[in-house]
Amino acid sequence: MKTATPAMARAINDRLALDLLLERGPLTAPQLREITGLSRPTVSDLVERLRSAGLIEVTGESGENRRGPNARVYGLVADCAHVAGVDVRSSGLRVTVADLAGREVGTAVREGSADLHEMITSAVAQAAGGRRLQAVVLGLPGLVHPETSALTSALASDSRVRGWHPGLLGELRRSLGVQVVLENETNLAAIAEHGKGSARGVADFVLLWLDDGVGGAVVLGGKLRRGMSGGAGEIGALDLGLDEATFCRAVETSDGSSLADRIAKGVFTIVAVLDPGLVVLGGRIGRQGGEELAALVEERVAALSPAPTRVRPSTVEGNAVLEGAVLTALDLARDEVFG
């Protein structure tokens, strides 16, 4: 087994400190030593390296119970990098730009179905406000191939992504001059749910997306599972007794009990195959149904399946797809900036 080189050890320690500052906020050097178990010289060296690299800065002083001068408090320089998340719909798109700490610094909206390339580039530029971006993540309906990032041909012409064509991703990368990643919208919503919602801290769960269409996303072992071609979790392709359009129309006229019956049929299929332990009801219908609908679905599933399954409504605030896009872009940017 190879041992870590001094350079590798320094990189690991630096990343550990930066992740702690992201998670816990500004810390003093003694606090970093206490949390990490690193020695005083090691922490002193990494603080100096990170300050020289422009990644952390002194944000104040801490009056600790000790003699001598107050300890300096170090915080992340959040504006050293920025990212953008984009939620693309048939009716338009929304963009959020955030700093490295995840704080929103700009937004933009485009309505209509004009040239998609122009809409995305102009909206991203507006939201960025002259800030250099490290990564851009787009969320669209459809299967996204995990290796090629291409939409499948069957869905690339779908009206929900009107204006998308096979070469557009490359065009956007050239126009924006940054890393641009394409991801399925429901997968991004699941990432948001895992980071900020009902599945926070949960290793295994399935997000059932109930909105303009029916979809799903699978997280196992804390990681999003896309499948060989990006089709994992596409529950809308299963026979639920209704196609997507009919299901969504039925939602508008169903009472809570009959709606729960319809949803439970799909949830039972998921549970029988994956036994995730938790199913989150997302999208407009899942959020509007809230705890009451989730409890009804959980009751129906319990009568069908021997595997215990919690059913919870989405608790991500705002646009879950956009939140997931920003979180994904932040992971990419932090890996690049932090090393």
Side-chain angles (χ1 to χ4, degrees), residues 250-263 292-293 296 300:
V251 164
E252 306 299 333
T253 58
S254 296
D255 59 32
S257 180
S258 59
L259 176 58
D261 287 337
R262 297 180 190 278
I263 295 173
E292 182 179 354
L293 177 61
L296 289 172
R300 267 66 167 179

Side-chain angles (χ1 to χ4, degrees), residues 96-119:
T96 293
V97 169
D99 65 20
L100 207 54
R103 292 188 292 262
E104 181 183 299
V105 298
T107 62
V109 177
R110 292 291 184 273
E111 303 290 350
S113 55
D115 178 76
L116 190 55
H117 177 274
E118 192 280 330
M119 287 176 66

Side-chain angles (χ1 to χ4, degrees), residues 4-282:
T5 64
M8 183 183 297
R10 288 192 294 270
I12 292 171
N13 292 338
D14 290 355
R15 181 62 189 261
L16 175 61
L18 289 166
D19 286 342
L20 283 170
L21 291 173
L22 271 171
E23 178 185 348
R24 305 195 183 194
L27 297 168
T28 63
Q31 288 171 329
L32 283 171
R33 292 201 302 270
E34 180 180 355
I35 296 169
T36 62
L38 297 173
S39 68
R40 180 189 295 268
T42 298
V43 170
S44 178
D45 288 345
L46 76 81
V47 165
E48 186 57 37
R49 282 196 303 276
L50 296 178
R51 288 188 68 186
S52 299
L55 295 177
I56 67 172
E57 62 185 354
V58 177
T59 60
E61 294 184 344
S62 174
E64 299 186 2
N65 296 325
R66 62 184 181 83
R67 295 178 180 178
N70 292 339
R72 291 177 174 179
V73 178
Y74 299 98
L76 183 74
V77 180
D79 63 358
C80 68
H82 296 85
V83 302
V86 186
D87 179 21
V88 181
R89 303 280 167 169
S90 61
S91 58
L93 58 89
R94 296 181 179 274
V95 179
T96 293
V97 169
D99 65 20
L100 207 54
R103 292 188 292 262
E104 181 183 299
V105 298
T107 62
V109 177
R110 292 291 184 273
E111 303 290 350
S113 55
D115 178 76
L116 190 55
H117 177 274
E118 192 280 330
M119 287 176 66
I120 293 174
T121 54
S122 66
V124 168
Q126 178 186 336
R131 301 177 181 88
R132 182 181 176 276
L133 298 177
Q134 204 77 27
V136 176
V137 173
L138 310 175
L140 285 86
L143 274 61
V144 179
H145 197 285
E147 295 181 1
T148 65
S149 295
L151 282 177
T152 61
S153 57
L155 293 178
S157 59
D158 192 301
S159 62
R160 290 176 293 171
V161 287
R162 188 165 43 239
W164 187 270
H165 57 270
L168 184 55
L169 186 60
E171 294 171 12
L172 290 170
R173 287 169 175 164
R174 290 189 291 273
S175 298
L176 295 172
V178 297
Q179 181 178 197
V180 181
V181 174
L182 181 65
E183 183 58 272
N184 170 268
E185 59 175 357
T186 308
N187 284 346
L188 291 177
I191 289 170
E193 209 66 54
H194 194 225
K196 296 185 173 183
S198 294
R200 185 171 184 177
V202 178
D204 301 336
F205 76 97
V206 169
L207 173 69
L208 182 59
W209 187 254
L210 305 168
D211 206 288
D212 294 334
V214 179
V218 179
V219 173
L220 297 176
K223 295 183 178 181
L224 181 70
R225 303 296 176 172
R226 296 177 175 84
M228 285 294 293
S229 59
E234 285 295 328
I235 193 172
L238 297 176
D239 180 9
L240 302 181
L242 295 168
D243 58 36
E244 289 188 18
T246 308
F247 175 84
C248 293
R249 286 197 300 271
V251 164
E252 306 299 333
T253 58
S254 296
D255 59 32
S257 180
S258 59
L259 176 58
D261 287 337
R262 297 180 190 278
I263 295 173
K265 183 176 181 179
V267 173
F268 171 64
T269 303
I270 295 169
V271 171
V273 175
L274 294 176
D275 184 19
L278 172 65
V279 174
V280 179
L281 306 182

